[in-house]
Amino acid sequence: MDDDGTRGVRGSSAGRVPGPALPPPPTTPPRVPPPAAGPRPAAPPVEQRPARPGSAPPVEQPLPGAPLDAWLRTPRPPQEPGVWRYGYTPPPPEEPEGVSNRSLLVGALISLLSALLLWSLWRNGYLPYRLVPLKLFTPGEWWNPGTSGGPRTIEGSDALTVYEAILFGLLAYGCGRIGNFAELFRRHVADRGQPFLALAAAAAAGLAQLLVWKETLPVVRPVLVLVASVAGGEIYQSQTVVNIVYALIAAVVLYPFARLGRWRELIATRRGTAERAADGHAAAPAAETSADQWPELRAAGWTDAADTLTAEVRTGRMNDVDVARLRQAWALATRRPDRLAPLAEAVLRSGGAAALHPSGHRDLPRRGARHDVLTGQVRIGRCADDPHNPYVRRGTGLALEPALLGTSLLAVGPPGAGKSARLIRPVVEALALRALAGQAAVLAVGGAGAPLGPDDGFDVVVRLGHPGSAHDIDLYGGTTDPDEAAAVLAEGLVGDVGSLDSRRAATVLAQLLGPYRAAHGHFPSVPELRELLDGTPAALAGLRASLESAGHHAMLRELDARSRQAGGPGDPAPALADRVALLDRPAFTGFFATGPDAQPFSLRALGQHPLRVRVDLPERGHAEASRLLTRLLLAQFTAITAARTDTTLFACLVLDDATHAVTAETVRGIRRLRSVNAGAVLALRTVDDVPETLHTPLLGAVGCTAAFSGITTWDGKRFAEAWGKEWVETREVAQHTVFADQPFTRALHALRKLVTGKAVTTDAVTVRQVERERWSASELAYAVPAGHAVIRLATVQGEHAPPLLVHLDG
């Protein structure tokens, strides 16, 4: 990127894009390896939820060697706010609360043992009157006299055989229903999927066939008896008929297990996979979607450009940032048709390197988080499997995007909770990637050494107080209006002083900045502004003489008004001078220059160019000055973004430490950011770092809030109040002592109490709907594990998600 002659000097003009002091862009292709020879694999499923809690987490993105076209074809269905959309798969329906596995197994075992006992008693003749139902429907001459008499004729023996088979079937059916064997099979066999289901069914089918042909199960003889009764006994004189009957018995026994094991589906799936593998080259074009074919270019008639980009994608000469950048460039060009032809020619000439970012970079030097540049999402964690989280969100990835950051985000947590490394750094990284794609501008502010990213990942790096800084910053925000500069500067200087009215402070500054600019053509430097606020006679006399010689009578009246008000009760000038003195230190010599040759970086450039800017503050040696500068940058950002007319770029300010930076005016400015495609990310150690009168307005101004582990109950109370309540179903169980009236029952109760030591009671269950806090203050303070945070999200359109417990792995 052209540095406009500013390389090696501190700063750049407000109207020009500052040149980064960075090495030239890499000459090697982006780090997306080409696909392997042969048919391209389909997009691998991503974000597959575990089927049951405790199972291993699945892979959520393609492997590093996956082709870019597979990444492009991966579905990104619209979801609720904060859901990681890349390859999202909806969870299975929530199952109603049922019996535990232990109870299920015990019940099935007891049912099976009871059935075996009953069958044994039946077969051995220990059950009385067992033949009475059969004798009621058969001739009496078939049976011996008496209720226990057995069969007398062959017909009676055959009837008894069929009767036993019918009773065995009823007993097996009852045992299966009582023991809930269907649920046991579904949980431990069917839910494991193929091929385990087919193998288990095959093993059960083999065991059943063995028991049938060993005549342990009454199947073969009853079937033979029934066939002989219908067709006559002479049918068995043919061996062919016997073989057919035996084959039918085997098939009938095998059929239920084939249905349970879904053998037909498994065979069809394997056959289809083999056919697709054999004819992969022919089937590949039909399986392709339009995502990697650049349909927007083809629809506009630029087929050559679309073919060029398609070839770039398939050969691995593009990366995800190139795709997002070119799509953004094409979307902007369609608004001005005269730009379509130059863009198409640039694509034909440079391929994926067309429409580059002014820095010439096509990617960040390194990434520490997982990004989906097409949707602008950055994955910061996974929703925990916790009762506080809705079922559909448990186990899903949580991501942030501009639609959420546009409502601004407030993160609160003690030092070491992971705010910077697990939230701030991924957000800055995602915004930097969008800046390379021409879709955003980011200003990251933190102390020297804060983990906001390497220097070569930014276009402008301002190290305030460091003599080696290549850039300076404009104390007045790049404006030429004295009143606007005074209002923003007053907010930064004394906005945190509750006893001072920032409007009076802005009036005092305007009474000095206006005359000085009229006399010299620029605003005063820090030492000059300090002298004017202190009311130094020489400085005021020199300014007056310059105004008189230039004939600025209106500005002379402003200066006279300042002279009359100086020293009066409630004059904010001394407080302003004391705050300006914090910047008039040897460490800041050469910074905040305002002369005709000065070219400091202005925040106004953020609204015009997709810049990546980082400001390092000298927190260790100048803590109060750092807080003042943070306040000033926040006030400038809210004022500049609210005044811009072109809101195409998403502008975002990220404050790694917003301690004492939030004022009443900046809270109002944060509330206006969502309407101008901008947002702010503020990190605090505690809510008490903000004046108490601003606690409620601040929590109401931001749409996204994050409470990290380790916050106090006082902070938890404020979050609990901001997040509101919800209706929940509660169950109350009351135990009442049972008093028996009968002597025998009282004796049993007394014996039970003697053995167990407890009286006989009955449970009375009351179910009702009550309104409770989503997260209580105590839960936020003590129930959030380390490395977790409770995050509530909302979009600019008004959609919102409930507070979610998230395991942060960003």
Side-chain angles (χ1 to χ4, degrees), residues 645-730:
T645 57
D646 185 7
T647 59
T648 304
L649 286 176
F650 175 74
C652 189
L653 170 67
V654 181
L655 297 181
D656 184 55
D657 185 5
T659 303
H660 302 295
V662 179
T663 64
E665 184 61 31
T666 54
V667 168
R668 286 189 286 269
I670 290 173
R671 190 179 289 112
R672 293 192 296 266
L673 290 179
R674 66 178 65 192
S675 63
V676 293
N677 196 23
V681 179
L682 311 177
L684 295 171
R685 294 183 178 90
T686 174
V687 182
D688 290 331
D689 289 338
V690 177
E692 186 176 0
T693 56
L694 298 179
H695 289 175
T696 300
L698 177 60
L699 289 172
V702 297
C704 303
T705 49
F708 283 71
S709 60
I711 65 172
T712 63
T713 53
W714 292 273
D715 288 343
K717 180 181 179 181
R718 298 181 182 98
F719 280 109
E721 293 175 351
W723 292 339
K725 300 179 179 180
E726 63 178 345
W727 289 97
V728 297
E729 183 181 276
T730 62

Side-chain angles (χ1 to χ4, degrees), residues 61-129:
Q61 63 181 5
L63 298 176
L68 186 62
D69 54 351
W71 174 80
L72 277 170
R73 292 196 305 268
T74 302
R76 297 166 174 84
Q79 293 297 325
E80 297 179 0
V83 175
W84 176 249
R85 293 166 51 192
Y86 179 75
Y88 175 79
T89 301
E94 185 176 9
E95 299 177 359
E97 183 178 357
V99 296
S100 62
N101 289 333
R102 179 178 178 180
S103 300
L104 191 64
L105 290 172
V106 171
L109 181 61
I110 293 176
S111 175
L112 180 62
L113 294 177
S114 301
L116 292 176
L117 177 62
L118 286 176
W119 183 245
S120 176
L121 294 175
W122 165 267
R123 293 296 298 270
N124 291 285
Y126 290 106
L127 295 180
Y129 310 108

Side-chain angles (χ1 to χ4, degrees), residues 105-396:
L105 290 172
V106 171
L109 181 61
I110 293 176
S111 175
L112 180 62
L113 294 177
S114 301
L116 292 176
L117 177 62
L118 286 176
W119 183 245
S120 176
L121 294 175
W122 165 267
R123 293 296 298 270
N124 291 285
Y126 290 106
L127 295 180
Y129 310 108
R130 64 190 187 97
L131 299 180
V132 171
L134 180 60
K135 292 181 179 180
L136 292 177
F137 297 95
T138 56
E141 60 271 12
W142 289 4
W143 308 98
N144 292 318
T147 57
S148 301
R152 178 188 301 176
T153 63
I154 297 177
E155 290 81 1
S157 299
D158 293 342
L160 180 59
T161 300
V162 176
Y163 180 56
E164 287 183 346
I166 294 174
L167 290 180
F168 179 82
L170 294 176
L171 182 62
Y173 176 78
C175 173
R177 291 298 300 271
I178 295 174
N180 205 358
F181 278 86
E183 177 67 15
L184 186 67
F185 175 80
R186 187 191 64 81
R187 286 192 190 183
H188 298 281
V189 181
D191 284 352
R192 295 193 179 187
Q194 300 287 10
F196 181 83
L197 175 60
L199 294 176
L207 178 62
Q209 292 282 3
L210 178 63
L211 296 177
V212 166
W213 297 114
K214 289 289 185 179
E215 296 190 3
T216 304
L217 301 180
V219 175
V220 177
R221 290 188 61 191
V223 171
L224 296 178
V225 168
L226 289 175
V227 171
S229 300
V230 174
E234 296 80 4
I235 192 174
Y236 292 121
Q237 295 179 0
S238 173
Q239 186 63 35
T240 302
V241 174
V242 174
N243 294 336
I244 292 175
V245 172
Y246 284 168
L248 290 176
I249 294 174
V252 170
V253 173
L254 192 63
Y255 178 76
F257 297 98
R259 290 290 303 273
L260 291 175
R262 301 173 186 172
W263 294 351
R264 179 182 297 179
E265 298 176 9
L266 179 62
I267 294 173
T269 302
R270 295 297 176 88
R271 183 180 301 172
T273 303
E275 292 177 355
R276 286 194 298 270
D279 196 20
H281 294 281
E288 292 175 354
T289 62
S290 60
D292 59 340
Q293 296 288 323
W294 300 88
E296 57 272 16
L297 274 70
R298 299 183 187 277
W302 300 98
T303 307
D304 294 341
D307 292 339
T308 300
L309 293 180
T310 302
E312 293 271 304
V313 169
R314 292 182 177 178
T315 55
R317 292 194 295 269
M318 290 180 65
N319 62 7
D320 53 353
V321 179
D322 294 331
V323 174
R325 186 187 67 251
L326 290 173
R327 286 191 173 186
Q328 174 70 7
W330 185 262
L332 295 177
T334 54
R335 302 176 186 176
R336 298 184 58 180
D338 57 312
R339 295 184 179 181
L340 291 176
L343 178 59
E345 294 175 359
V347 169
L348 292 174
R349 183 175 58 255
S350 305
L356 275 180
H357 184 264
S359 66
H361 293 175
R362 300 172 65 177
D363 200 353
L364 295 178
R366 53 186 173 275
R367 303 186 188 184
R370 298 160 65 180
H371 302 270
D372 184 21
V373 186
L374 280 187
T375 59
Q377 289 190 317
V378 54
R379 188 182 184 282
I380 62 171
R382 177 185 290 274
C383 296
D385 188 5
D386 187 86
H388 286 92
N389 293 342
Y391 171 77
V392 295
R393 299 301 298 269
R394 298 175 191 174
T396 61

